[in-house]
Amino acid sequence: DAENYTKIYLGLNMEEGSAYPDNTIEFYEKLSDSIAVGTISRPEIINPFANSMKHEIVKMALEINAPIELSWSCYRDGEEHCGTCGPCTMRKAAFEKNGLAFA
């Protein structure tokens, strides 16, 4: 509200939704409802990957030359991905499926 944002982009995805409740469609829908009644600016939540697997997201990023090296999945703090938490494990598999080294 303080910044009067009109859009919020979420990176929720189908693959992580099975393990993390804040990556589910239900979370997204309830968050949207809360923002609609709990803010003045009422930004729209855009969730383009809700029905996508991580390997599909990586493939799309490669196709549009997105700066995938700037993306972050790790749940641990640090300068580099830990490589062992759930999101890192899924990221590694998604990268490998697309012929990339884990980054």
Side-chain angles (χ1 to χ4, degrees):
D1 263 351
E3 300 296 330
N4 200 33
Y5 290 124
T6 59
K7 295 180 187 327
I8 297 171
Y9 290 85
L10 294 180
L12 310 183
N13 63 81
M14 186 169 56
E15 191 167 354
E16 287 187 8
S18 63
Y20 303 98
D22 63 345
N23 263 278
T24 63
I25 297 290
E26 179 185 19
F27 175 80
Y28 158 73
E29 289 171 347
K30 291 189 184 296
L31 185 60
S32 293
D33 291 344
S34 296
I35 286 176
V37 298
T39 64
I40 295 167
S41 60
R42 295 197 162 106
E44 173 189 10
I45 296 181
I46 300 169
N47 188 20
F49 304 116
N51 295 309
S52 300
M53 299 296 282
K54 277 197 166 208
H55 70 90
E56 295 169 324
I57 298 167
V58 171
K59 181 180 180 196
M60 182 186 304
L62 293 170
E63 289 171 352
I64 65 170
N65 294 316
I68 200 165
E69 68 279 1
L70 299 177
S71 66
W72 190 263
S73 298
C74 189
Y75 271 25
R76 300 201 178 118
D77 189 24
E79 293 291 319
E80 296 181 12
H81 293 92
C82 74
T84 60
C85 70
C88 276
T89 301
M90 289 180 231
R91 179 185 178 98
K92 182 177 182 180
F95 273 54
E96 287 174 352
K97 189 162 188 162
N98 282 282
L100 298 174
F102 177 67

